[in-house]
Each structure stands twice: as structure tokens, then as C-alpha cells.
Amino acid sequence: MAINRIRIEIEGIVQGVGFRPFIFRLAGTHAINGWVLNNSGGVIIEAEGEPAKVSAFLRDISAEAPPLAAITSVSSEKIASQGERGFVIRPSAGGTNKAQISPDCDVCADCLRELFDPNDRRYLYPFINCTNCGPRYSIITGIPYDRPFTTMAAFPMCDACRAEYENPADRRFHAQPVACPDCGPRLGLVDAKGETVSGDPLREALRLLTAGGILAVKGIGGYHLAVDACNDDAVRELRRRKQRDEKPFALMAPDLQAIARFACVDDIEQRILAGPERPIVLLPKQDCNPIAPLVAPANGYFGVMLPGAPLHHLLLRNNFIALIMTSGNISDEPIAFRDDEARERLKEIADLFLVHNREIHTSADDSVIRVFHGNPLFLRRSRGYVPRSVKLPATQRSVLAVGGELKAVVCLTREDRGFMSQHIGDLKNAATLHSLEEAVAHLERILEIKPEVVAHDLHPDYLSSIYAAGLEGLPQVPVQHHHAHMASCMAENGLEGETLGVVFDGTGYGLDGTIWGGEFLLGDYRAFRRCGHFRAVPMPGGDAAVKEPLRMVISYLYDIYGNALYDLQLPCLAEVGERDRQLYLKMLERGINSPLTSSCGRLFDAVAAMVGVRSRISYEGQAAIELEALAEEADTNAIYPYSIATADDNMVLDMRHMLHSVVDDLQAEEPRSVIARRFHNTVAHAATDLCEKIRETNGVNRVVLSGGSFQNKLLAEGIFSGLSDKGFEVFTHRLVPPNDGGLALGQAVVAGMQNR
Ligand code: ZN
Ligand code: ZN
Ligand code: FE
């Protein structure tokens, strides 16, 4: 009888995810002889058997891979047969490690069953895990991914755990975080001074939550603050202590049935919620729901997740409809994840701390997703997804890209893979810059990447740009902000060649020194040309105009009415005192501290303030988010007038007619929601119109949509369907955020391609 032998090489996330035991079992199923081992590049197999069985074995490797595995390539070649008997797992071969590390993952169905099985030795044990589940990225201290290089090194395995760990037929074979109540980490409940609270930690923690208290909970990637989401007083107290006036709090619910009591969930959202990554998904609120109104005021959505760790299952099951689970930080600081530091920073907020002694080595905030056209649209890509790689359009030299200023994320590339870091936060102080430096060092270490070039934003004053300038010996490539946005969307869609980028966001340093943000860019990774933009207006007071949308109202109206703007009978203008009126006017007349901007975000802010959504914001993007919620209440396809002017091959989108009409509608007391909706329709229509004009002269038919404004679903849908209807090929983000959290990917590819 014929016997075949093949050598198979597998790359991707194939180590630390139960891959070798899976191969071992598969070999048994198909009567295959040979061996499997981990090497530097991933997994190597030699398999020998009847030809049909060998083919079936090869097919099933991809078809039935374990849940946490992510195979990026399988190659096989025929070699001489050796007449081997049996199948073995061989010891790992050394060498440079190119294998990829798995992200952190929620408890699997098997472990969950054991967690609630009174006869299991891990009954109610909050640190249960196996090769198919548990913490990964957050506990790794170095490579290779092995117990001594995780924060589990401090816990020697007991005999029972070791037997499971060493048995290839066991679900816990080489599960590095394996532990049990006899040998593993333990739960504790402490107060702000670190003093242990007597009694069972879980029971006492639940008692606190039920009584309306605030509990800090140590999770996978950092501390959360937990509060009963249906308790109005508790939620109000959390807002007061956290100094967070309006930004929505995330919720965690025990299961999908509980979520359905307060939010609307479709099939795709259910699948994303229940996936092992356990992200926060934005879901429309149910009209009548038991959640305290202060959880997400003036917002049409709840950010909801399912339990992401065994401890969360223990807290939620049979206890609450939902808990608030908000990042353990004071507004805008990085998430707290080291025990002493967390207690120090959260001592004024939390009543008690539910802690444990398994150290978190790398922080990871919760990921946040919104579903758009059946695909995930990331608002934040962090825990559960990091450090999964993004495939780049081509192999390039190794780049470190340091991102922008807000929602900082760094990216390291190796060959044709981009590795995005966890969400680091707004890079406005030394603490976040330090987190960025740690993220870079950690990724370089565990991925064994030595970058050859560093890419950064063109803005010279961003802390990330200053950091890049200080990296000795690395050539620097500055990348224009919106070019980076466009490139990130092209890269994740594998596009090459000339593309039109519609990039709408808040703030980005332009080539001409003005602030860009409503841009139509034509080009590729190497070069681009600005061929259209929103008409620029001054921002009175610079950054102050970002925090106070009312200033933008005055600027846009000044652009139309000049000094006569204060004659308009608009409620929002009535808020401006005489002194401020004269001050803003002087700034606008003389251009004092009023940089020019073509930002789409500022236009949204201004319209939001005009219709009375708000004149001041307490978190980034708030005015636009609330304007979108208002617009969703109306149903109209009507648009406002606008015009497009052509100057030097560069088209200017002029929205003055629209704003004039908005003023008229406000004075005619049209419903605010209708005005908000018409505004969204108009921006989408105008953007489509401008793309068509660019296509007329350049013939470009491929469009990418990027920039923070595309977090707005109404706007994104409007532009997407407008362009599709006109026959454009339209690409959006699915793997990295359209906001500045995706910027580093674009920077990395621009710098990598320029040096190819
Ligand atoms: Zn498991
Ligand atoms: Zn044990
Ligand atoms: Fe941006």
C-alpha cells in the first residue's frame, strides 16, 4: 500500500493555544504517524500515512483549528517516508521567535461549565483557564511564551495541575496560566489602605454592590469600577467621585437575555458580544429600560459587554441585570493596572477593592465596537485583539509608528505584518508618554522586532513626534495626519495604487500649517495631493474652540454675516455675554490666536451648538455624538444647499448656504431633530458630489473612508451608500479604528513603502 509523508509548516497564532495537542488528536483520528513541534516560525509537522488520510489530515488542520488559533499560512511539501510508528509531540526547537502571541480571551465553554460544577476541583475558582481560554498578552513578560515568562511564574503548579499540564490528551496541556485553588492566585477584598476585609471576598463584594457601593475590580487588563447600573443613587455617586459629568459608562450584563432587557441586539452584534474577545459593543437603547438614566445621558446607545473573565461571571451570574464596568481611572488618564498604583489613584472613588495576586504585566483597556454594514467598526481596538497582527499590502522594512496625540496606539511591523499596541490614551502628559514607551519596549521584546525607521505625525509638538525625534540612530519619516488615516484604510483593505481618500476628522496638522480635517486626498502610500477640502474658517482661541463649540458657531456665522452675526435671533447666541461677543469679534477680525481649520469635526460641533445640543463639551466628540443621536429621531431625505468652488485644481466645499438655511430653520422653529438629520444628509450628499467631480477629472473610482467622523454611523452610512449608488468602489475600516487609534498603521505603511 502507498504511504505518503509530508512536512507541514504553519504560521500565525499557533503557540499557547492548544495547537500541538490538537494536532496530536487529529493524527490519531486519521491514523497518521510522525511528530509535531513548536519552532521559531510557528509549528512544524511531519505526517506519514495513506495518501487519502494524509490529505484529510492536512485539510482538517485549517478546518478544525482550536478557537484561539489564527493561522496565517500553511505550506506543505512531500518528503521521503520513514516508516515511523506512532505520533509524538517533540520538544520545542529554539531560534528567533516569529510565532505570534494570542490576545487575552474570555473563559471557554468547557471551563465555564467546570466553574459552576460543584463537583469540579475548580468550582467557583476565578482563575480557571485552559489552552482554549484565559489571559495571554496581559501576563506575558518575555519570550518564548512559557510559564517562566508570564506573571504565573510566581505560582508553582501542584501535582494535579502539573499532571494536566503534561498530558497531551488533556485540555490543559501546556496551558501556561493553568492553576487551581491549591496552587494558583487567590482573590482578596481590601480597603483603600490595603487592609483585608474579613469574610469571603466575593460574597462581601457582592454585598457592597447590592447596597449601592462602588467596587474596584481587578480584571484581565486593568481595574474596572463596578456599580449596580440600575441603582440611580449609586450611578450618581460614581459620576460625582469620578468627576465624569456626562461621558457614557460601559455596562456588563450576565448574558444576552439580560442585555435584551435594556438594549436592541441583532445577530451580528450578538456574535461579536459573545466572541472570545469580549469587546464593548454599542447597542441602541430599548425605549423602556431599567438602567439608570445617568449611565449614558443624551446618548441613543449603551456600550455593553458580556463577562470577560471567570471573576466577572461569578460577579454577574444571578445577581444583576447589568453592572457599570468603567475603566478604573480619573477621566482621560490611562487605566490603572498595578495594585499599589490602582489603590492610590482610585482611593477617592472606590469603597472597596476586589483584587488578586496574579500580576497584570501589560494593561489593556476594553475594546469598543460599533457594527457597520455587518462588520465590526472599531472605536477602540485593545483587549482581546492585541497583539493580533494586521496583514500589510506588501513585505516592507521594519517600522515603528508612534501615532498621533489622541487615542494613542503604536504600530510595529515585521515583514508583511503590522502589530498594533493596546490603546494607550490621550498623549497629553508624562504618564501617558511613559505608557507609550513601555508599550513600544514590550512589543519590541515579545515580537523581537528592531525597527529600522520611525514614523510620526507631521505635527512637531505632539509628544509622540518629540519622542520619535529622540530615538537615536533611527531615520524619521514624518507623515501627514490625513494621509496616514487614508493609508491605514487602504492598508487593511490590501489596496495599492491610486485611491481617493475621504478623510473627515477633528484635527490634523496640514501641509500648509493650517489645521486640516475635511479632506479629499488623491494618491497612494508614497505621495498624495489635496484635491478638495471644506472651506476653512478661524478657530477663535485655538484648542479652546474645540472645548467650546459655541466659538465655532460664531466663527462660521461671522464667515456669512460679518459683524451683523449678533443681530441673529439664535438661542445659543443669547448665552454669549457682551464682553465675549466683542472679544470673539476682535479675534476673528484680526485673526488673533485663531488658526484656520477645514475640520469636519468643527462643523459638526458648530451645528450641534446651533440646534442647542450643547455649547461646551466635557469629552472629545461629545457634541457630534449627541447631534447624531438627535438626527436619528427624525426621518427625512431632504438636504440643504451648498456649493463647490474650484481654485487651483483644489475644490472647496462651501457650506455657508447650508448654515444660512439652518439659521432660517431655527428661526422658523423647525424641529431640531429634522435640522440635525438634514445636516447629516447634506454633508453626505456634498461629499459624494465632490468625489464625482474629482472622478470627472482624474478617473479615480476607488474611495477609502477614514477619520474620526466615520465613527458617526449616520454620516458613514450616508456617504457609503451615496458613493456606492454612483458606482464608486468604497472601502471602510474593519480591523483598526477610523479615528486616531488607527493612525499608526497608516504611518507605518507610508514609511515602509517610501523606503522599499
Ligand atoms: Zn478553557
Ligand atoms: Zn493546582
Ligand atoms: Fe485624526
Side-chain angles (χ1 to χ4, degrees), residues 108 111 129-130 132-133 171:
C108 71
C111 288
N129 66 79
C130 72
N132 298 326
C133 72
R171 203 171 87 244

Side-chain angles (χ1 to χ4, degrees), residues 93 97 194 257 483 485 487 505 536 631 667 674 681 734 752:
N97 198 313
Q257 290 89 309
H483 187 211
H485 272 307
D505 71 354
Q667 286 173 341
V674 173
N681 297 345
R734 287 162 299 122

Side-chain angles (χ1 to χ4, degrees), residues 481-482 485 505-508 707-708 738-740 743:
H481 189 92
H482 303 96
H485 272 307
D505 71 354
T507 301
N739 61 40
D740 288 4
L743 211 56

